[in-house]
Amino acid sequence: MNVTEIITKLTETQTAERGELIFLLQHITDDECELLRRTAQETARQHFGSHIYIRGLIEISSYCKNDCFYCGIRRSNRNAVRYRLSEEEILSCCDSGYALGFRTFVLQGGEDNRFTDEMLCRLICTVKSRYPDCAVTLSLGERSFESLQKLRDAGADRYLLRHETADKQHYEKLHPGEMSFDNRICTLRRLREIGYQTGAGFMVGSPYQTPENLADDLLFIKDLQPQMCGIGPFVPHRDTVFCDAPPGGLQLTLTLLSVVRLMHPRILLPATTALGTIDPRGRELGILHGANVVMPNLSPVQHRKDYALYDNKICTGEEAAECLQCLRLRMRAIGYEIVTDRGDYTEG
Ligand code: 5AD
Ligand code: FES
């Protein structure tokens, strides 16, 4: 099969063989990229029209007990400035977010034991009772199954946990020996069983990544069937093991967004901040390649620069309202409209 035939197969059957995915990633031409892009954008349009969902991202802690080789807030980064938001600060981010039209709050942070189940459950309950029409999404790394169950019982609706790479050997090149690929995958499956709307995802262009790895990422998503998938380029951070590694490619990231859209027509697919960081039009291009979600930052401005997973992260100086307005205009300029909606996953 040639690349055009593989794109047709993806469009018609929502899947392809591993070998076909690898072939596509290695041989796609500029013209075929444009065909893929148009098809993926059309697919997203069929399901979401011109609507773009927003998620208010609240970065609750820059403390992390893990030491991922690529991440700027890894515990061994002595230069990282650590902060932790109080419950009051988090609630005040939600208050301003709600007024701006956010109906999903994403509480994201490093793996920080100080955020106990008790505290998080109380926080989730408060947010859900104050804003019953909002979804609460957690993005707090690997927690015990009991903990994830408690947080779900407290009212959390969704959980984001990128698998990072579906290949165990590759995972081990990106993480220290104490971190377990098997536990990551197990946790993701458990999240689904517990009843979270679950988000998996991976970085594009992370060190040692091969086209085979990316094909396996796509097939892993096919198998797990998450409701969301976060895909962004790897971006080096100066204080990490991979400080000198090149960033992930723009076109490759866009190609993966499009392929995921074709394989999962209704999946919630963000145009990520990392994509906006490697290219000034990255997020717009993400939408034009089939993404349908953006995640503006609702964190207090004084802490934004300290939640630095990678260098040169955008939007660290802007207030939430400014970012939202900026994104509104950007989306409008390409024919899309940010909506006030929870933006839940809906079954076909
Ligand atoms: N470049 C791009 N993305 C990164 N992440 C962490 N570090 C980097 C980096 N250097 C991503 C991971 C994680 C998410 C919260 O941020 O995929 O799951
Ligand atoms: Fe934050 Fe443009 S989206 S400044």
Side-chain angles (χ1 to χ4, degrees):
M1 271 207 207
N2 63 34
V3 171
T4 301
E5 288 166 339
I6 298 170
I7 294 170
T8 304
K9 176 171 175 178
L10 285 168
T11 311
E12 288 174 355
T13 71
Q14 287 83 57
T15 196
E17 302 293 324
R18 183 171 186 270
E20 293 164 346
L21 294 170
I22 297 168
F23 185 85
L24 179 147
L25 293 172
Q26 287 179 321
H27 298 286
I28 192 165
T29 63
D30 290 353
D31 285 350
E32 290 159 341
C33 279
E34 178 53 20
L35 169 70
L36 175 66
R37 186 203 68 73
R38 247 189 296 116
T39 315
Q41 184 188 18
E42 181 52 35
T43 302
R45 281 251 179 206
Q46 276 165 20
H47 294 285
F48 307 104
S50 62
H51 289 183
I52 300 293
Y53 298 133
I54 47 173
R55 318 299 194 197
L57 184 64
I58 308 175
E59 296 153 335
I60 67 173
S61 175
S62 69
Y63 285 86
C64 191
K65 64 169 187 266
N66 281 338
D67 214 19
C68 307
F69 297 151
Y70 46 84
C71 183
I73 63 167
R74 59 202 303 262
R75 68 159 186 265
S76 61
N77 181 9
R78 295 292 143 78
N79 297 327
V81 177
R82 308 292 173 171
Y83 74 90
R84 188 177 276 130
L85 301 187
S86 66
E87 290 184 56
E88 295 67 39
E89 285 176 300
I90 295 168
L91 289 169
S92 126
C93 292
C94 295
D95 292 340
S96 28
Y98 191 87
L100 290 169
F102 288 91
R103 295 298 177 264
T104 294
F105 301 117
V106 182
L107 309 184
Q108 184 176 90
E111 293 195 12
D112 179 358
N113 286 330
R114 296 273 199 94
F115 277 92
T116 60
D117 293 344
E118 197 197 336
M119 227 175 110
L120 285 167
C121 286
R122 194 169 55 226
L123 180 63
I124 293 162
C125 285
T126 310
V127 177
K128 292 292 291 189
S129 58
R130 209 180 274 192
Y131 300 114
D133 53 340
C134 288
V136 170
T137 304
L138 304 177
S139 178
L140 303 169
E142 295 169 39
R143 297 178 71 94
S144 72
F145 298 163
E146 303 90 274
S147 171
L148 295 172
Q149 182 71 60
K150 281 186 195 162
L151 303 175
R152 172 86 185 116
D153 293 340
D157 303 278
R158 309 181 185 144
Y159 205 104
L160 307 179
L161 181 71
R162 290 189 181 176
H163 62 283
E164 312 297 358
T165 172
D167 181 287
K168 188 177 170 111
Q169 275 75 50
H170 184 221
Y171 188 91
E172 289 170 357
K173 291 181 183 163
L174 301 179
H175 301 91
E178 77 226 20
M179 289 180 70
S180 153
F181 172 76
D182 293 333
N183 192 58
R184 191 102 181 156
I185 302 301
C186 236
T187 307
L188 267 165
R189 297 199 188 279
R190 186 56 65 100
L191 286 166
R192 289 227 54 185
E193 287 162 17
I194 294 175
Y196 281 101
Q197 294 177 43
T198 304
F202 53 96
M203 289 178 288
V204 177
S206 59
Y208 310 109
Q209 186 179 63
T210 63
E212 287 78 9
N213 294 153
L214 286 168
D216 288 336
D217 287 322
L218 293 168
L219 294 173
F220 173 73
I221 296 293
K222 192 85 234 181
D223 178 59
L224 183 70
Q225 293 278 316
Q227 285 84 9
M228 302 158 285
C229 184
I231 300 175
F234 160 76
V235 184
H237 185 290
R238 63 192 176 282
D239 297 319
T240 62
V241 178
F242 299 139
C243 54
D244 293 324
L250 174 66
Q251 183 54 57
L252 182 58
T253 307
L254 296 170
T255 296
L256 282 149
L257 285 173
S258 294
V259 172
V260 168
R261 172 57 67 211
L262 294 185
M263 291 176 75
H264 306 271
R266 317 188 69 97
I267 203 168
L268 296 159
L269 195 59
T272 57
T273 305
L275 189 55
T277 296
I278 61 161
D279 189 284
R281 289 193 70 235
R283 288 167 301 176
E284 291 92 320
L285 289 168
I287 300 300
L288 295 169
H289 284 74
N292 71 317
V293 173
V294 290
M295 300 176 69
N297 200 320
L298 280 184
S299 308
V301 173
Q302 73 266 29
H303 294 301
R304 292 230 188 144
K305 64 178 183 326
D306 299 327
Y307 195 82
L309 308 185
Y310 47 82
D311 288 336
N312 306 316
K313 192 176 159 207
I314 54 170
C315 302
T316 55
E318 284 76 10
E319 290 289 347
E322 297 174 299
C323 267
L324 182 61
Q325 185 54 17
C326 169
L327 272 170
R328 259 191 222 296
L329 294 173
R330 285 168 180 263
M331 294 298 116
R332 201 168 291 158
I334 56 168
Y336 288 83
E337 176 197 358
I338 284 177
V339 293
T340 296
D341 191 300
R342 276 173 53 124
D344 280 295
Y345 181 85
T346 53
E347 298 292 338

